[in-house]
Amino acid sequence: MKTYHEGERFPGRIGRTYEESEPAFPMPPTAPEGAPNVLYIVIDDIGFGWIDAFGGLIHTPNISRLADGGLRYTSFTTTALCSPTRSCLLTGRNHHSVGMANIPELASGFPGYNARQPQNKAGIAAMLHDHGYTSFCIGKWHNTPSEETGISGPYDRWPTGPVFGFDRFYGFLGGDSDQWYPKLFLDREAIDQPRLPEEGYHLSEDLTERAMSWIAQHKSLSPDKPWLTYLAFGAMHAPHHIWPEWADRYKGKFDSGWDTYREETLARQKAMGIVPESAELSPMLEGVPEWDTLSADEKRLFARMAEVYAGYMEHTDEQIGRLIDFLEETEQLENTLLFVFVGDNGSSGEGTLNGLFNEQSVTIFAGEPPETVERNVERIDQLGQPGSYNHYPVGWAFAGNTPFKLCKQYTHWGGVRNPMVVHWPAGISAAGELRHQYHHVTDIVPTILDAVGVEAPRFVNSVQQAEIEGESMQYTFEAEPDAPSTHVTQYFEMLGNRGLYHDGWKVVTYHGRKPWENAAAWSFDEDKWELYHVAEDPAEAHNLMEGKDASNLDDPDVRKCIDLVSLWWAEAGKYQVLPLDDRFQARALDREALYAVNPKTTWYEGAVRIQPFEAPPTLSRSWSMSAVIEVPDGGATGPIAAMGGDSSGWSLYLNDGVPTFCYNFPGPELTYIRGTEKLSPGRHTIDYVFEKTGPEPLGAGGVGRITVDGAAVADGEIPRTCTVGYSMDETFDIGWDKGSPVSEDYGPIAEFTGKIIRVDFDSQPDLHPDHDDHHAQRHVTQAMMRQ
């Protein structure tokens, strides 16, 4: 039987009847002979100095196993934040080039900042589709505009949409996820997790099992057809969720504190050749206390937070090992080009100076935060467990980025320099070696295309494609470790922080905001550029512009700095970095104005897993909802409408038939407004009205009232409310409370047992985009930067 590829000329013969004709079947495209499988393994929010494969303390035998059989990259850089890095990893273009300057929740109306990946800059899965690859996307996504994440679409920029081009998707759409109660999607459908944590559920294990299942099915059906799998764990982003026995493996190992940890880690890194002998520890940021100055309670609490984080990472490494064992058993590991990205940015400094039991408490509080060291010591054994949303103190972030300066969000090396491992036995002749060549996340796609043996496509989905902006790393696979880097120049920009690497030199700015602070202390014109010869000073320990007169052109360092800053501006113009934008509150309010164009006032049963930006506006304002329901003869119970989860949110529900409203302010501080009588069978209208009474522009308290069929049944004071969001990962649901429960009156993934006819919302905005209240901006800044 003859075959041919779609688009080619029919090679058979067509006569008057089938007896006089010769058939030929169109076949899907095939990959080049010997083309490898491709596996991305992406670990979230972990810095350069955490895992033992790169000199850290956390035991990662499976990553070490891959590194010992492949290559360790020591000068690989990211973008300082998750969504931008992932856009580069998947497209081979810079993050501003594809509109992903920041996280989608902070998109603004400029080409480099709108979070709308263009059709002419398609992702690697779409590129390889026409070369015979099947592609799977599993885990964290966070690259779809927030307002496009509902069932009404558009789906163009979903993982399975035409821009990114994956064939299947299983994971979560947002920036972080409760590991016990994730909000999952299968392709484009919201689904519930397969089991609960008391039944042994953990998201990392679930994602690994899905990856093995899909790859196994693919191998069974098409053993000679290559696959591309993008496996992005929710780990190690907050919340740091893990069983106590994993954290207990590290009991006492962090008791000496972050200062000693940095010194010991640097010594191990030098001994391994990860950093040169000339490397020095960069200065700790002013404001981070020395470990020896802490109280006994602080040391105990902060050390346990590090133990939980370490156990979480070792558990993640075990899942990587399960997948590697599976690939080896199914004889696929040999020809799988496998990348392990140990972080999509540096370690997160967003846990404040004292760490957090519930990250929401600092993200969306109004007034004094409800958490204290004393209170968190009391619940130290609950860290990492269901009901927590924990994060370690900023001191551990700097320790985890050893030996580099600063952390996630910043364009110093601590924010953008991450370990990477590449493993491909069939294509890499060297094993266990180090590669020190400078490279960037934009270089992964051209490396994959080189390894497959194809060129970047001119057209994807009939759309002419823009050029790939990264450089292939395949030359580093050869047994010549000292070959010069092909990636000579790379700009950086994140939240107003800027930097540029060029041929062993670097200029960089710190835009006046510490990771636990809330606004830039000065304007862009007041930024001071720092200069480092990173070829000799890899940790940016010595700023060559320190104490220099920036106008003295006779000074070679000044001239070098001016030249590199000029090059930064040229790159910024080339890649859509302008206009510079360090606003926070105004950008959040601009988003609200965008959604107000489509107010979504009426909701129906079955509307679930709605992302917060798509939900009815109920923050910092008076608002109301009116639910028309039917109670069956046996009575009804469960949530009618819910926003958020156990970390914060609100829920209107029937508690064994009694109308109830719960406001869950992070802490938790639970306010209940309860009726006294069960609803009789039949149709009822339940109204809830919140009247804002406080003067604060954000987070003001007020009075909540419940009426049933026009008659008042309950009211109560809600002392304070959330400011710019309810949750990082929980959603808005009608007839359900998907994920963790807002109220203690019902359990996770709770369903209303009656019938909901409709729920109408009305809100009265109290904010204006031009409002410039420093208190308000402080909280908006914190909320948006924790993605």
Side-chain angles (χ1 to χ4, degrees):
M1 177 72 67
K2 288 184 177 180
T3 62
Y4 65 101
H5 293 308
E6 189 173 332
E8 295 178 346
R9 182 178 178 180
F10 178 66
R13 185 177 74 253
I14 299 176
R16 187 173 60 87
T17 67
Y18 77 89
E19 292 97 336
E20 302 168 351
S21 305
E22 184 179 2
F25 273 95
M27 301 296 287
T30 56
E33 184 72 24
N37 304 312
V38 179
L39 175 59
Y40 288 76
I41 296 176
V42 184
I43 306 171
D44 204 348
D45 267 22
I46 185 168
F48 194 83
W50 276 120
I51 68 170
D52 59 4
F54 282 79
L57 184 62
I58 301 175
H59 188 48
T60 53
N62 294 294
I63 295 177
S64 293
R65 168 187 167 192
L66 292 170
D68 292 343
L71 299 171
R72 288 172 172 86
Y73 287 78
T74 67
S75 299
F76 185 77
T77 57
T78 55
T79 72
L81 214 58
C82 59
S83 303
T85 288
R86 292 156 195 265
S87 69
C88 298
L89 282 176
L90 292 170
T91 69
R93 284 99 171 185
N94 285 292
H95 56 304
H96 295 86
S97 288
V98 295
M100 198 62 72
N102 206 287
I103 56 175
E105 292 84 351
L106 276 187
S108 61
F110 299 102
Y113 295 76
N114 61 25
R116 285 160 172 78
Q117 174 120 355
Q119 296 272 3
N120 70 336
K121 295 176 181 177
I124 184 63
M127 295 181 200
L128 292 182
H129 179 80
D130 287 340
H131 294 289
Y133 276 73
T134 301
S135 54
F136 308 124
C137 179
I138 300 166
K140 173 175 173 175
W141 183 242
H142 209 206
N143 278 95
T144 300
S146 307
E147 62 274 19
E148 296 183 2
T149 56
I151 197 170
S152 60
Y155 291 104
D156 298 36
R157 281 167 281 270
W158 280 55
T160 55
V163 175
F164 290 100
F166 285 97
D167 294 310
R168 302 299 306 274
F169 170 59
Y170 180 76
F172 59 98
L173 292 175
D176 53 345
S177 176
D178 191 311
Q179 301 295 293
W180 307 117
Y181 300 110
K183 271 51 69 179
L184 296 170
F185 284 82
L186 177 59
D187 299 326
R188 298 175 180 178
E189 181 181 359
I191 64 169
D192 294 330
Q193 62 199 74
R195 56 191 182 277
L196 296 174
E198 54 265 33
E199 300 168 316
Y201 182 83
H202 190 283
L203 178 59
S204 296
E205 297 181 7
D206 186 16
L207 298 177
T208 305
E209 288 157 8
R210 178 68 62 161
M212 292 189 294
S213 173
W214 277 353
I215 294 172
Q217 294 179 61
H218 181 279
K219 177 68 171 175
S220 301
L221 290 166
S222 302
D224 296 325
K225 183 180 180 182
W227 46 260
L228 162 73
T229 297
Y230 176 81
L231 174 58
F233 289 101
M236 296 294 295
H237 200 292
H240 306 149
H241 280 164
I242 195 59
W243 289 286
E245 55 265 30
W246 286 88
D248 291 347
R249 298 183 181 194
Y250 291 88
K251 273 190 176 295
K253 293 189 176 181
F254 295 96
D255 287 357
S256 59
W258 44 65
D259 301 308
T260 298
Y261 183 93
R262 296 181 82 213
E263 295 169 359
E264 293 178 348
T265 297
L266 178 58
R268 288 191 295 266
Q269 290 171 336
K270 288 182 178 181
M272 296 173 67
I274 300 295
V275 299
E277 284 294 328
S278 63
E280 302 176 40
L281 286 175
S282 61
M284 201 70 142
L285 192 62
E286 182 181 356
V288 179
E290 294 182 5
W291 185 263
D292 289 344
T293 67
L294 300 176
S295 69
D297 276 352
E298 288 172 328
K299 289 179 179 178
R300 178 184 170 216
L301 176 64
F302 300 167
R304 183 57 178 176
M305 289 175 166
E307 292 168 9
V308 171
Y309 184 80
Y312 188 24
M313 180 61 233
E314 186 171 342
H315 175 261
T316 305
D317 180 80
E318 180 170 276
Q319 309 320 306
I320 295 171
R322 292 173 64 201
L323 179 57
I324 300 311
D325 288 344
F326 161 77
L327 293 177
E328 193 166 43
E329 290 167 1
T330 55
E331 300 180 342
Q332 299 182 83
L333 186 60
E334 178 76 13
N335 197 29
T336 295
L337 172 57
L338 189 158
F339 301 89
V340 182
F341 302 99
V342 186
D344 52 2
N345 43 243
S347 291
S348 169
E350 297 152 348
T352 77
L353 289 170
N354 292 329
L356 296 163
F357 181 84
N358 177 2
E359 191 182 12
Q360 308 295 73
S361 67
V362 72
T363 299
I364 54 184
F365 72 85
E368 290 303 312
E371 292 197 13
T372 63
V373 169
E374 293 72 23
R375 185 175 186 186
N376 286 343
V377 167
E378 293 174 358
R379 49 187 179 179
I380 191 171
D381 292 337
Q382 297 172 257
L383 288 169
Q385 304 308 297
S388 67
Y389 212 91
N390 48 306
H391 199 312
Y392 55 50
V394 67
W396 287 122
F398 294 128
N401 290 327
T402 301
F404 302 129
K405 182 179 290 187
L406 287 172
C407 56
K408 174 184 176 182
Q409 303 183 20
Y410 297 94
T411 52
H412 286 76
W413 278 155
V416 300
R417 195 155 158 182
N418 287 89
M420 184 182 68
V421 170
V422 180
H423 183 273
W424 182 24
I428 298 177
S429 54
E433 295 185 0
L434 298 170
R435 292 293 182 267
H436 301 297
Q437 292 92 342
Y438 175 80
H439 278 286
H440 186 252
V441 279
T442 52
D443 298 337
I444 299 304
V445 164
T447 303
I448 292 170
L449 295 175
D450 261 7
V452 172
V454 298
E455 295 183 355
R458 293 184 57 201
F459 291 87
V460 173
N461 300 318
S462 300
V463 177
Q464 186 169 350
Q465 295 295 292
E467 289 185 5
I468 299 293
E469 294 165 3
E471 301 288 343
S472 174
M473 301 168 56
Q474 191 174 14
Y475 72 96
T476 65
F477 296 173
E478 306 302 325
E480 297 203 14
D482 297 325
S485 174
T486 58
H487 197 128
V488 178
T489 303
Q490 180 60 47
Y491 82 91
F492 301 92
E493 189 281 332
M494 187 55 61
L495 309 172
N497 300 296
R498 294 172 282 164
L500 180 116
Y501 168 86
H502 179 71
D503 198 19
W505 290 82
K506 188 180 176 193
V507 287
V508 63
T509 66
Y510 163 66
H511 191 53
R513 181 179 61 85
K514 296 175 183 176
W516 60 91
E517 293 179 336
N518 313 289
W522 52 73
S523 70
F524 288 114
D525 289 338
E526 297 172 287
D527 280 344
K528 296 188 183 303
W529 288 93
E530 303 167 20
L531 174 68
Y532 300 97
H533 191 191
V534 289
E536 298 179 357
D537 177 21
E540 300 169 321
H542 301 286
N543 174 17
L544 298 177
M545 290 296 290
E546 185 72 32
K548 295 288 182 72
D549 178 359
S551 65
N552 181 12
L553 300 183
D554 292 331
D555 187 318
D557 290 337
V558 172
R559 291 200 307 273
K560 171 66 77 171
C561 186
I562 291 173
D563 289 345
L564 293 181
V565 171
S566 297
L567 182 55
W568 184 91
W569 284 104
E571 296 290 285
K574 181 178 180 181
Y575 294 117
Q576 301 187 154
V577 181
L578 305 178
L580 295 176
D581 189 352
D582 61 355
R583 297 172 303 147
F584 299 103
Q585 178 204 13
R587 286 168 78 169
L589 295 175
D590 284 349
R591 304 295 290 162
E592 183 171 298
L594 178 64
Y595 302 127
V597 175
N598 183 8
K600 307 178 181 69
T601 56
T602 300
W603 295 79
Y604 299 95
E605 188 169 15
V608 297
R609 203 65 59 72
I610 309 301
Q611 302 297 317
F613 277 110
E614 287 275 80
T618 59
L619 291 161
S620 299
R621 69 194 66 222
S622 298
W623 64 279
S624 65
M625 59 179 159
S626 180
V628 181
I629 67 171
E630 288 184 355
V631 177
D633 289 341
T637 193
I640 297 167
M643 169 73 82
D646 59 11
S647 56
S648 71
W650 57 257
S651 178
L652 176 67
Y653 56 100
L654 297 187
N655 184 26
D656 193 23
V658 177
T660 308
F661 182 86
C662 175
Y663 198 92
N664 184 336
F665 187 83
E669 296 177 3
L670 298 171
T671 300
Y672 289 97
I673 302 173
R674 300 181 183 275
T676 57
E677 298 182 5
K678 293 184 178 183
L679 296 186
S680 61
R683 182 169 290 201
H684 297 278
T685 299
I686 303 176
D687 291 303
Y688 172 78
V689 177
F690 175 74
E691 180 185 355
K692 175 180 175 247
T693 58
E696 296 89 354
L698 295 176
V703 176
R705 299 182 178 89
I706 300 175
T707 62
V708 176
D709 300 328
V713 299
D715 62 68
E717 181 181 354
I718 300 174
R720 50 183 179 170
T721 60
C722 299
T723 55
V724 297
Y726 293 101
S727 174
M728 294 300 172
D729 68 324
E730 298 280 355
T731 55
F732 171 68
D733 307 299
I734 297 293
W736 291 82
D737 186 352
K738 296 286 189 179
S740 65
V742 171
S743 169
E744 294 178 342
D745 286 342
Y746 55 81
I749 318 179
E751 181 181 9
F752 183 61
T753 59
K755 180 177 178 58
I756 297 172
I757 308 302
R758 60 187 288 165
V759 184
D760 293 307
F761 284 81
D762 185 28
S763 62
Q764 302 170 23
D766 293 315
L767 295 173
H768 188 277
D770 295 330
H771 182 75
D772 193 30
D773 182 88
H774 177 72
H775 178 77
Q777 181 164 338
R778 177 162 60 95
H779 301 302
V780 178
T781 301
Q782 288 177 324
M784 293 305 167
M785 290 307 99
R786 298 184 193 284
Q787 301 294 325

